[in-house]
Amino acid sequence: MRAADRPLLGIVLMLGFCILAPMGDATAKLLGERLPVGQLVTIRFILQAVFLVPFMLLAPSTLRMPRRVLWLIVLRTALHIVGIGAMFLSLTVLPIAEAIAIAFVMPFIMLLLGHFVLGEEVGPRRMIACSVGFVGTLLVVQPTFMAVGPWALLPLLVAVAFSLFMLVTRGIAKDVDPIALQFVSGFMACTVLIPVMLLLDGSGLPHLDLEMPVRHEWLLLGLLGLLGTCGHLLMSWSLRFAPGATLAPVQYLEIPVATLIGWVVFSALPNGLAALGIAITLAAGLYIVLRERSLSRAARPAPGSAPGAAE
């Protein structure tokens, strides 16, 4: 049975994702100072599958999925691997707040995809606000690109991959149990990543060689897997209850969380154009959240009245 749309519940669940995702990125940044990115991505998906095994044993029937859904999960998994890999790689050279802020061209892309691909209603106010947020993202890119070069563009790859990832997730979220979806996705990723990492170990490629973690790194790896699994469960649940066009701007709230974590953990704060760009992006996102909340509380049109324009 397909779940009915409940926008406010979807927003609350997405807010949970916005808190856990930057925490996971910060953990990956700490680990990426010594461990190869390919190894981090692989272990993250292994732990995702392992953590969810008990739930699958309790409800094995949720693994029965139509062939169409399984092929979409294959596509979703590939996009997930690309998105996480590009983000973890960017975090080896970029501050966490700047990396996430640059990736926030994603909600703008998702609005367009939601409108033109899924036919979701996107009014002028949301489009203008997300356009303003996109301008803020460009202000973050400029000084970061000058500092680290083309590496600053990696979060743009993250944005494209996760925009498509969330579009696919929205397309199947109401038909698939979120826990089963995450388990199958984690298992599929492992079947690809484990052989690749074993084959390329010793190849001399710095991000694909294997390194033995030390004790505290094992603890951080466990935390990375837990945060990633829980965060994406919240994201999958949120997409069962609200359209992507509604949820996309909510993700702007990852930026202040990432900025706070960057300051507390890495003693790094954005400055200059980057800070201005983040402020603009955040303001645009907050406007959309408040506007969406206002619309969700508005009374239904009286019988016989003409429907209002899309906001």
Side-chain angles (χ1 to χ4, degrees):
M1 182 177 179
R2 292 173 67 87
D5 274 0
R6 297 170 62 185
L8 285 182
L9 176 58
I11 287 174
V12 170
L13 292 169
M14 184 58 80
L15 287 175
F17 169 78
C18 292
I19 294 171
L20 295 185
M23 293 173 64
D25 290 337
T27 305
K29 185 172 178 63
L30 288 170
L31 289 165
E33 294 175 355
R34 198 184 75 87
L35 298 181
V37 167
Q39 184 173 341
L40 296 183
V41 176
T42 302
I43 292 176
R44 182 242 179 269
F45 279 106
I46 291 174
L47 291 177
Q48 174 176 313
V50 169
F51 286 153
L52 296 178
V53 166
F55 297 97
M56 292 298 94
L57 294 176
L58 292 174
S61 62
T62 58
L63 291 174
R64 298 187 189 127
M65 303 173 188
R67 181 174 297 180
R68 177 193 70 87
V69 171
L70 284 174
W71 280 113
L72 287 174
I73 293 176
V74 170
L75 174 59
R76 179 184 183 273
T77 301
L79 292 168
H80 202 179
I81 293 171
V82 171
I84 288 181
M87 176 55 81
F88 285 5
L89 190 58
S90 71
L91 288 171
T92 62
V93 293
L94 299 177
I96 182 172
E98 280 89 332
I100 290 178
I102 294 170
F104 265 85
V105 69
M106 178 177 64
F108 180 77
I109 296 173
M110 282 195 62
L111 276 179
L112 295 179
L113 290 174
H115 179 62
F116 292 109
V117 178
L118 296 182
E120 294 175 350
E121 190 175 30
V122 179
R125 296 191 185 187
R126 283 192 292 187
M127 188 61 72
I128 290 171
C130 275
S131 298
V132 171
F134 178 65
V135 171
T137 300
L138 294 179
L139 291 176
V140 181
V141 169
Q142 182 180 354
T144 306
F145 188 89
M146 293 175 64
V148 300
W151 290 94
L153 301 180
L154 272 174
L156 297 180
L157 175 59
V158 177
V160 173
F162 272 111
S163 294
L164 295 171
F165 168 85
M166 293 188 70
L167 180 67
V168 174
T169 302
R170 174 62 179 173
I172 62 178
K174 292 189 177 184
D175 300 309
V176 182
D177 178 77
I179 294 178
L181 173 61
Q182 293 302 107
F183 173 77
V184 172
S185 183
F187 179 79
M188 287 180 176
C190 289
T191 62
V192 174
L193 291 171
I194 292 175
V196 169
M197 291 301 299
L198 291 176
L199 182 64
L200 295 178
D201 182 29
S203 64
L205 298 174
H207 294 293
L208 296 177
D209 284 337
L210 297 177
E211 295 284 347
M212 178 59 67
V214 298
R215 182 177 179 181
H216 79 277
E217 289 171 339
W218 282 114
L219 295 175
L220 288 175
L221 286 168
L223 180 61
L224 177 67
L226 183 62
L227 290 171
T229 302
C230 293
H232 281 272
L233 278 174
L234 291 177
M235 185 271 291
S236 296
W237 271 315
S238 74
L239 290 167
R240 288 170 66 89
F241 296 110
T246 297
L247 296 174
V250 178
Q251 289 185 274
Y252 282 119
L253 298 179
E254 278 189 54
I255 296 175
V257 176
T259 302
L260 178 61
I261 291 173
W263 175 53
V264 172
V265 179
F266 303 102
S267 300
L269 284 174
N271 53 57
L273 283 179
L276 176 61
I278 289 174
I280 292 173
T281 302
L282 177 59
L286 286 174
Y287 169 80
I288 290 297
V289 172
L290 294 174
R291 183 64 185 169
E292 195 64 47
R293 185 177 181 184
S294 175
L295 289 175
S296 69
R297 290 182 173 179
R300 294 180 179 272
S305 62
E311 292 294 339

